[in-house]
Amino acid sequence: MSALLRHRLVWPAAVLAGLLLVNVIFTDGFLSVQIRDGHLYGSLIDILRFGAPLILVALGMTLVIATGGIDLSVGSVVAISGALACLQISGLGDQGSVGGVLAAVAVALALSLALGVWNGLLVSAIGIQPIIATLILMVAGRGLAQLITDGQIITVNSAPYKLIGGGYWLTLPFGIIIVAAVLTLTAFLTRRLALGLLIEAVGGNAEASRLAGIRSRGVLIMVYTFAGLCAGIAGLMISSNVSSADGNNAGLWIELDAILAVVIGGTSLSGGRFSLAGTVLGALIIQTLTTTIYSIGVPPETTLLFKALVVTIVCLLQSQAFRAKVFRRRAAPPAGRPAAEEKKVGVPA
Amino acid sequence: MSVESTAGGRLKAPVRIPQKFVPVLVTAALFVAMFAAGGVRYEGFATGQIVLNVFIDNAFLLVVAVGMTFVILAGGIDLSVGSVVALSTMIAATLLKDGWPSPPVIGLVLLIGTLLGTGMGAIIHYFEIQPFIVTLGGMFLARGLSYTIGTESIPIEQPTFTAFAQTRIDLFADLWISPSVLIAAVVVAVAAYVLHYTRLGRNVYAVGGGEQSALLMGLPLARTKIAVYGISGFCSALGGVLMSFYMLSGYGMHAVGMELDAIAAVVIGGTLLTGGSGYLLGTVLGVLVLGLIQTVISFEGTLSPWWTRIVIGLLLFVFILLQRLITARRR
Amino acid sequence: MAAPAPILRMTGIGKQFPGVRALDGVDFRLMPGEVHALMGENGAGKSTLIKVLTGVYGIDAGEIELAGEKVAFSGPLAAQRAGISTVYQEVNLCANLSVAENIFIGREPRRLGRIHWKEMRRRAAALLAGLDLDIDVSAPLSAYSLAVQQMVAIARAVDVEARVLILDEPTSSLDADEVAQLFRVMRRLKEQGIAILFVSHFLDQIYEIADRMTILRNGALVGEYHISELSQVELVAKMIGREIVELERLEGKPPAPSGGPLIEAEGLGRPGAIEPFSLTIREGEVTGLAGLLGSGRTELARLLFGADHAGSGSLRIKGAPASLRTPRAAIAHGVAFCSENRRAEGLIPDLSVRENLVLAMQARRGWTRPIPRRTQDELVAKYVEALGIRPADPEIPIRNLSGGNQQKVLLARWLILEPRLLILDEPTRGIDVGAKAEIQRLVAELSDGGMAVLYVSAELEEVLRLSHKVEVLRDRRLVAELPNDEALTTDALMEAIAKGGRS
């Protein structure tokens, strides 16, 4: 039992369960899942469906963060990928042509991949800090996306494309299937093959990894490329779901949500051990939080306040300095100053 | 002063040209080149008013970027600035609508911004959490607070604010500026003085150069680190006030992404993102370059506004690469 | 007594760390106007003593008197205010600020509340001139060599009205001219009556500059001597001492190896790290590397592993020219390197014992060819058993193991690769006697099996017990190669280290 409590996924899982519980109380039939017209329907399915792009982006982000890096550009890549796919599809004579849609998807994903390689090269070959290296694409990428869409919102009317983000396959929303596939693939590459070990080694101690003969440069390029690809797929999903591409707003701030999901999922921002399951949990928490806020009738504009609260609490709990200070205080409460200090820093939390 | 150098000889710094000015000079040259190119290409471009307009349209960004310069010089980063700007416009608009007079409104807004910044600084320092994450939380918080106050844009009709928005301060020869530019100029001057002539300013550089060293040299690390975030919070709030002069409205969606513009301005201005090196003048030039890009793109009728982002991204890339080369050579 | 009263007196200092007695009843005194060397090998307690003195650590026993008054500092700052300044090897200044600022930051001359730059530069130049240093004080500190930076640090320390100046390994990265310059500054300060505590691993430097010395060994005081009353050989003997714990004897001297040359280094060197050296290691041969700390032991080992780029020279492996530009290349050639710095260069603390153990093998195979879990478990079980790694649970994070067990895991990481040359840099440092003996026995077995071993150790007994031949390093130079025959004793080895060759 105590071993279970110490497991690092316990707290995220508990938070998610709590959120779901709140929903069960406030929404009738929250847990019911039904089959209508051969499709699965229900609030839980919706959370998964709407959360799918975030889970994808967060999966890519997990590996990047595990190497001790960060990728700020994923939001821009989301926009670029959706924009490029929609642009090509809108140019097709027959928007329903499966071949044309597949080609468009392939081109969009290839570009996402290339953007990921670019980030990886900046970080590993040139040696720029990850935050700064990916900031470049974060800024320029929005412009690129709008350049692709020519500042318009490109609307497409393509059944095959719609399938990616809004369709169903085997009664399941297609997005969930994609997430499941990517998750399985990631888990296979990192846990079944040895990529995960090398990533964790590089993030845990870069110099020791070098001396153990790990090609850390290759590992870095790989994780940024993977993050780019994940963001590209997420971009397709988002634009497919609304059958349009908006270079300005698609994937706005998804990088922050993704980083948050990773951190909530127990992967430390300083790199090392990562947990794919934790990230999925983290992303689901964020998505459920949004759903919950709607369902319990809190005005949706306070979503960000809750998020701020969650970020702060999770990060404080992860901070060793915080734990040390709090526990010391509990053990022997010293007089005066520390309490005042705590109050002061409590305000902006 | 005649110092007889004994054995060992005179040790000269290997580089006589002050290398520390190179990045700022590059930015200045870039600005001049852009201005000249614009003047050649477009009629009515090479006028003083064009430069002044850049200031008028970017006074709030300039003030925000000044705060960001402090944070980045000290080796940190502040993602919350755009949200704090929005929150400030929102608070100001709401209180003014409720009939508050303007001085206490402005005072309160500035106080809230400063407190927010100070609080984030304290968390960063005392709990040793990365500035990126803490200020990300601050960004969510400030944006969330402004949405909580209201989701619609609130117009400002209060006379003092409208007066600030509409007054033209005439300079010589048909040139004019807005009061906001004057305020921004004062902020820049004060900030430059603080950075260059006070202990706080020098401590900011020292902390950015190496926290451990600064601590061992006996400098007040906690005070300095918290102060820079406080200053950034204050500047963001003041930027918010200037923005409400400019927009004459409070809106939760104001200044979305302004943190990126501010960071870009600072980097293009030649300040190292790793901290400890850079000048406020560079930041001013950085803001000017960003503003001038927009002006050029608007003059070039066929170029779409999104080119701004792309060009800024490219400039960022070039300048970061340049910084990388400079630091690599130094080693 | 003609000698003046000591400015600093430490008596009966004791300091306990979890599991280690770092200092035990150490006495130390420092006279005004003297340069006093603090001597001792790694782990002797030098840095602990300095840290205790400057308030980084508290003391468990004893007392510290400064100018006759009992003191206890809360930290380096408090010590500095009381007149005890420290200058470290890695200069703790801000390289991005100007020289003048580095001297005055925190107490800049001000006029009307603003920093008076002109006055600051004038005073900085005057201060440096007093140290025979004539440089542009408005240039950033980063524009100058490490030696100048060090002197700027000293200038800062002195201007804070230091009565005691601690120089902790200031010379370890300076060249001869720079050292001479530093010594001029030290003499100047000495004339001004400042007491200087000097730590260096270069014996010649100690004999050139110091007046007296205090020797520590294993956290205890060996003695305080005038430089003139102790020869270099005696000094080395006192520093290294005799190993009191009698380890299980390995039978006799190891038999001479029969294999051909495995690695031949020709003029291999790296500026600032180690002078060009030539060295041949044969198959099945254990080559000991002896020398004091800072003599270039680790630097030599790192060059043979490709951990650093060689500035000059060439390398042949099994007769074929080889270029070891990265550790990866070295591993491909069958070279393995177990770093002395476990924490920074060996362990991945968060990963489990099993993962740490298979890391190098996995890196060699590449990530697409995972080691089957069963093979991993077998390998781990085998080495946990063979090396006696405890606790025997391979799934716990390696950071939870003791130093000795961590070392064994890292050793196993390389052994499963079955390297042709295993470089062990201080493999027995900081681990208990039992683990030490096991590791030594293992080395002997490996070499019997045909593996070549380069064994770096500060403990001469250990080097002598294991090696077929001993390479002696001194002041970053390979000064002698001694076959480990009957004539080679610890005394002879000490003399070689002290004098730079067998006499």
Side-chain angles (χ1 to χ4, degrees):
Chain A
M1 186 65 202
S2 72
L4 186 70
L5 273 180
R6 269 201 311 263
H7 195 280
R8 56 199 169 132
L9 293 186
V10 158
W11 291 113
V15 171
L16 183 59
L19 281 173
L20 291 175
L21 193 68
V22 170
N23 278 290
V24 171
I25 295 168
F26 279 85
T27 320
D28 290 333
F30 178 77
L31 291 176
S32 80
V33 174
Q34 333 159 346
I35 296 188
R36 247 186 265 155
D37 312 330
H39 298 161
L40 275 182
Y41 277 99
S43 307
L44 289 179
I45 300 291
D46 281 347
I47 290 177
L48 280 176
R49 193 157 68 102
F50 294 127
L54 177 60
I55 297 178
L56 274 184
V57 174
L59 281 178
M61 189 70 80
T62 308
L63 299 193
V64 170
I65 288 182
T67 62
I70 203 158
D71 187 350
L72 297 182
S73 72
V74 286
S76 294
V77 176
V78 162
I80 291 174
S81 144
L84 192 58
C86 285
L87 177 73
Q88 288 180 78
I89 293 172
S90 69
L92 287 176
D94 167 22
Q95 293 203 2
S97 126
V98 176
V101 168
L102 278 182
V105 166
V107 170
L109 292 187
L111 180 62
S112 313
L113 210 69
L115 292 174
V117 173
W118 159 266
N119 281 331
L121 283 176
L122 288 188
V123 172
S124 70
I126 306 187
I128 304 175
Q129 275 171 276
I131 276 198
I132 303 165
T134 55
L135 180 73
I136 297 172
L137 189 55
M138 182 189 190
V139 173
R142 285 273 157 216
L144 272 178
Q146 282 174 286
L147 181 70
I148 293 170
T149 62
D150 202 21
Q152 311 291 314
I153 293 180
I154 302 183
T155 319
V156 293
N157 183 12
S158 160
Y161 189 60
K162 179 78 186 172
L163 174 72
I164 298 173
Y168 287 81
W169 194 52
L170 300 175
T171 76
L172 277 174
F174 198 67
I176 298 182
I177 295 174
I178 294 180
V179 165
V182 173
L183 180 62
T184 314
L185 179 74
T186 318
F188 175 77
L189 289 179
T190 55
R191 295 308 184 201
R192 188 52 60 141
L193 299 187
L195 191 56
L197 177 63
L198 300 194
I199 288 174
E200 288 179 337
V202 169
N205 187 340
E207 178 61 11
S209 303
R210 187 179 81 93
L211 291 178
I214 295 174
R215 244 188 304 229
S216 55
R217 212 174 256 199
V219 170
L220 285 178
I221 292 180
M222 214 175 313
V223 295
Y224 283 94
T225 308
F226 181 70
L229 182 66
C230 284
I233 302 176
L236 295 181
M237 258 185 213
I238 290 173
S239 81
S240 148
N241 191 35
V242 293
S243 286
S244 65
D246 178 352
N248 209 11
N249 292 311
L252 195 62
W253 291 359
I254 203 171
E255 61 277 349
L256 302 183
D257 278 347
I259 294 167
L260 193 54
V262 174
V263 173
I264 293 176
T267 302
S268 160
L269 270 177
S270 46
R273 279 268 186 233
F274 66 90
S275 162
L276 295 176
T279 296
V280 174
L281 272 182
L284 287 178
I285 287 176
I286 294 173
Q287 189 57 43
T288 312
L289 189 68
T290 316
T291 312
T292 312
I293 287 165
Y294 279 106
S295 63
I296 65 176
V298 175
E301 47 275 16
T302 50
T303 315
L304 278 175
L305 277 186
F306 279 89
K307 255 188 211 169
L309 204 68
V310 176
V311 179
T312 314
I313 293 174
V314 171
C315 292
L316 283 182
L317 285 177
Q318 279 201 353
S319 147
Q320 256 167 18
F322 177 78
R323 284 194 305 240
K325 275 173 188 157
V326 168
F327 290 137
R328 207 194 308 141
R329 205 162 290 160
R330 242 182 238 157
R337 240 195 96 205
E341 219 171 68
E342 187 173 50
K343 219 173 223 169
K344 194 174 117 205
V345 299
V347 170
Chain B
M1 190 179 65
S2 67
V3 179
E4 265 126 340
S5 66
T6 47
R10 190 185 162 87
L11 288 155
K12 274 202 171 153
V15 189
R16 284 307 305 179
I17 307 158
Q19 198 191 8
K20 52 187 182 174
F21 296 129
V22 169
V24 175
L25 289 176
V26 170
T27 313
L30 177 70
F31 177 74
V32 172
M34 279 172 61
F35 189 69
V40 172
R41 196 169 158 87
Y42 316 112
E43 213 166 302
F45 185 94
T47 63
Q49 192 59 42
I50 285 288
V51 178
L52 292 181
N53 282 346
V54 168
F55 274 116
I56 292 167
D57 296 336
N58 291 290
F60 43 86
L61 177 60
L62 183 54
V63 172
V64 171
V66 165
M68 187 68 85
T69 310
F70 274 83
V71 175
I72 291 182
L73 277 178
I77 197 145
D78 187 351
L79 297 183
S80 72
V81 291
S83 307
V84 174
V85 166
L87 177 63
S88 303
T89 66
M90 209 58 195
I91 294 175
T94 313
L95 293 181
L96 290 172
K97 204 175 71 181
D98 290 351
W100 284 45
S102 52
V105 168
I106 294 176
L108 185 68
V109 163
L110 295 182
L111 182 70
I112 291 176
T114 315
L115 281 181
L116 258 172
T118 315
M120 289 189 292
I123 293 183
I124 290 166
H125 178 75
Y126 289 114
F127 299 144
E128 294 161 29
I129 307 179
Q130 284 130 313
F132 183 84
I133 292 297
V134 174
T135 56
L136 175 63
M139 169 184 181
F140 286 155
L141 179 82
R143 201 58 85 173
L145 280 176
S146 23
Y147 290 157
T148 312
I149 295 173
T151 48
E152 301 297 312
S153 169
I154 304 172
I156 296 175
E157 281 141 5
Q158 204 264 356
T160 319
F161 273 61
T162 46
F164 261 104
Q166 285 149 10
T167 307
R168 289 168 64 137
I169 301 173
D170 288 313
L171 307 174
F172 52 92
D174 284 346
L175 298 176
W176 63 276
I177 54 171
S178 65
S180 295
V181 175
L182 215 56
I183 295 175
V186 171
V187 169
V188 169
V190 170
Y193 179 87
V194 168
L195 278 180
H196 193 66
Y197 284 113
T198 67
R199 286 196 180 163
L200 172 66
R202 302 321 295 172
N203 290 348
V204 168
Y205 278 91
V207 167
E211 274 188 22
Q212 206 51 42
S213 298
L215 192 65
L216 282 175
M217 287 201 281
L219 305 179
L221 183 60
R223 209 196 307 154
T224 311
K225 267 174 82 181
I226 296 173
V228 293
Y229 289 97
I231 290 171
S232 177
F234 173 86
C235 286
S236 307
L238 185 58
V241 171
L242 296 189
M243 185 169 236
S244 36
F245 291 161
Y246 186 79
M247 299 280 195
L248 281 181
S249 69
Y251 188 24
M253 291 292 277
H254 274 333
V256 169
M258 189 188 264
E259 54 280 347
L260 290 186
D261 289 335
I263 294 171
V266 173
V267 172
I268 292 175
T271 300
L272 284 184
L273 265 171
T274 41
S277 165
Y279 295 91
L280 206 62
L281 178 65
T283 298
V284 176
L285 287 169
V287 171
L288 278 179
V289 166
L290 292 191
L292 204 61
I293 292 174
Q294 273 162 352
T295 313
V296 167
I297 284 170
S298 67
F299 263 79
E300 180 78 41
T302 58
L303 269 187
S304 326
W306 43 88
W307 276 103
T308 319
R309 309 247 91 186
I310 299 178
V311 175
I312 293 176
L314 278 178
L315 279 182
L316 266 180
F317 173 63
V318 170
F319 275 77
I320 289 169
L321 212 59
L322 190 80
Q323 291 186 355
R324 183 77 201 146
L325 287 177
I326 289 176
T327 44
R329 186 142 38 95
R330 210 175 274 164
R331 241 172 252 148
Chain C
M1 205 168 85
I7 177 81
L8 176 78
R9 187 199 292 275
M10 301 171 82
T11 36
I13 303 294
K15 177 70 192 170
Q16 181 90 32
F17 289 117
V20 197
R21 179 158 272 290
L23 289 176
D24 190 5
V26 171
D27 297 336
F28 179 78
R29 56 197 189 118
L30 199 55
M31 306 292 173
E34 75 164 342
V35 174
H36 192 122
L38 186 58
M39 306 296 296
E41 271 291 88
N42 251 336
K46 295 183 310 259
S47 54
T48 312
L49 189 71
I50 290 176
K51 284 182 174 156
V52 159
L53 170 58
T54 54
V56 176
Y57 302 142
I59 46 175
D60 300 335
E63 57 182 49
I64 305 173
E65 277 176 31
L66 184 65
E69 278 178 44
K70 209 177 155 219
V71 289
F73 302 118
S74 56
L77 280 184
Q80 202 178 46
R81 292 210 180 93
I84 302 181
S85 290
T86 315
V87 174
Y88 300 93
Q89 175 192 352
E90 66 283 13
V91 181
N92 277 302
L93 294 178
C94 292
N96 58 323
L97 301 181
S98 73
V99 171
E101 274 200 278
N102 268 298
I103 297 176
F104 285 105
I105 193 160
R107 33 192 200 90
E108 299 95 336
R110 289 190 289 189
R111 194 169 56 185
L112 304 173
R114 55 179 268 178
I115 293 173
H116 195 354
W117 285 91
K118 220 170 138 187
E119 168 76 5
M120 183 159 92
R121 285 195 284 266
R122 193 189 60 71
R123 277 171 51 185
L127 189 63
L128 290 176
L131 299 179
D132 274 348
L133 201 59
D134 180 15
I135 59 176
D136 175 9
V137 295
S138 61
L141 188 70
S142 56
Y144 293 100
S145 69
L146 201 61
V148 174
Q149 295 191 16
Q150 224 137 32
M151 278 176 260
V152 172
I154 292 173
R156 178 182 173 88
V158 175
D159 195 55
V160 198
E161 269 155 43
R163 289 181 289 179
V164 174
L165 180 62
I166 302 172
L167 300 176
D168 191 359
E169 292 195 49
T171 56
S172 44
S173 30
L174 306 189
D175 66 28
D177 287 346
E178 292 170 333
V179 169
Q181 197 176 11
L182 177 70
F183 282 180
R184 265 202 312 281
V185 169
M186 284 169 68
R187 292 202 183 91
R188 187 66 73 91
L189 294 174
K190 200 169 111 172
E191 284 161 21
Q192 293 167 16
I194 292 174
I196 300 176
L197 172 58
F198 181 61
V199 179
S200 168
H201 294 289
F202 299 104
L203 299 187
D204 288 346
Q205 292 177 3
I206 301 289
Y207 278 84
E208 183 185 342
I209 189 80
D211 303 303
R212 293 187 309 142
M213 60 178 134
T214 294
I215 304 174
L216 300 180
R217 189 173 66 234
N218 293 333
L221 179 71
V222 175
E224 186 199 278
Y225 307 91
H226 271 283
I227 289 291
S228 54
E229 65 188 34
L230 206 61
S231 73
Q232 292 210 13
V233 177
E234 287 170 307
L235 169 60
V236 172
K238 287 193 189 304
M239 279 165 68
I240 293 174
R242 291 299 147 98
E243 200 156 47
I244 302 142
V245 192
E246 191 69 19
L247 289 169
E248 192 185 336
R249 278 266 160 215
L250 298 161
E251 307 104 56
K253 295 269 178 183
S258 50
L262 175 67
I263 287 213
E264 297 158 273
E266 187 67 45
L268 208 61
R270 180 178 159 86
I274 181 141
E275 307 268 324
F277 63 91
S278 297
L279 173 66
T280 302
I281 301 174
R282 297 171 167 281
E283 283 171 7
E285 185 179 46
V286 180
T287 306
L289 212 52
L292 295 175
L293 186 73
S295 60
R297 303 184 305 220
T298 299
E299 287 78 0
L300 189 153
R302 286 176 66 92
L303 278 192
L304 290 181
F305 183 63
D308 297 319
H309 289 301
S312 63
S314 63
L315 197 68
R316 298 164 79 81
I317 296 180
K318 282 243 163 200
S323 154
L324 304 183
R325 296 190 56 79
T326 60
R328 206 179 157 73
I331 293 167
H333 277 104
V335 181
F337 171 65
C338 219
S339 167
E340 71 171 326
N341 195 345
R342 274 197 299 273
R343 192 109 55 87
E345 298 178 351
L347 303 175
I348 316 281
D350 283 348
L351 296 190
S352 69
V353 169
R354 172 179 56 81
E355 288 165 316
N356 269 286
L357 205 150
V358 301
L359 191 64
M361 180 183 252
Q362 187 62 68
R364 193 174 65 176
R365 289 169 68 106
W367 63 272
T368 51
R369 296 199 300 136
I371 308 165
R373 184 55 188 261
R374 190 188 296 169
T375 316
Q376 290 190 27
D377 289 338
E378 281 167 12
L379 279 172
V380 171
K382 182 175 152 203
Y383 280 93
V384 164
E385 161 87 40
L387 301 183
I389 294 170
R390 265 170 292 272
D393 176 5
E395 296 307 316
I396 60 171
I398 196 167
R399 67 178 128 84
N400 295 350
L401 266 60
S402 72
N405 282 300
Q406 290 176 346
Q407 185 66 47
K408 289 185 207 163
V409 174
L410 294 182
L411 204 55
R413 175 191 286 177
W414 295 112
L415 292 182
I416 59 175
L417 291 184
E418 298 177 349
R420 293 194 278 193
L421 170 64
L422 178 61
I423 304 171
L424 297 173
D425 193 359
E426 296 267 15
T428 59
R429 187 166 111 211
I431 67 179
D432 61 76
V433 177
K436 220 178 223 183
E438 282 174 52
I439 287 176
Q440 291 177 1
R441 196 178 311 117
L442 185 75
V443 169
E445 280 171 22
L446 290 171
S447 85
D448 287 347
M451 192 186 289
V453 178
L454 182 66
Y455 198 92
V456 184
S457 175
E459 289 181 37
L460 301 184
E461 298 265 348
E462 189 175 86
V463 171
L464 276 181
R465 195 171 324 124
L466 291 171
S467 314
H468 299 112
K469 67 167 191 259
V470 181
E471 308 286 332
V472 179
L473 286 161
R474 187 175 194 269
D475 295 356
R476 302 227 168 87
R477 192 170 288 143
L478 187 61
V479 290
E481 178 177 302
L482 311 173
N484 192 0
D485 49 26
E486 298 305 321
L488 191 61
T489 60
T490 44
D491 289 321
L493 203 48
M494 264 178 216
E495 195 157 317
I497 292 172
K499 295 239 177 80
R502 207 199 293 216
S503 54

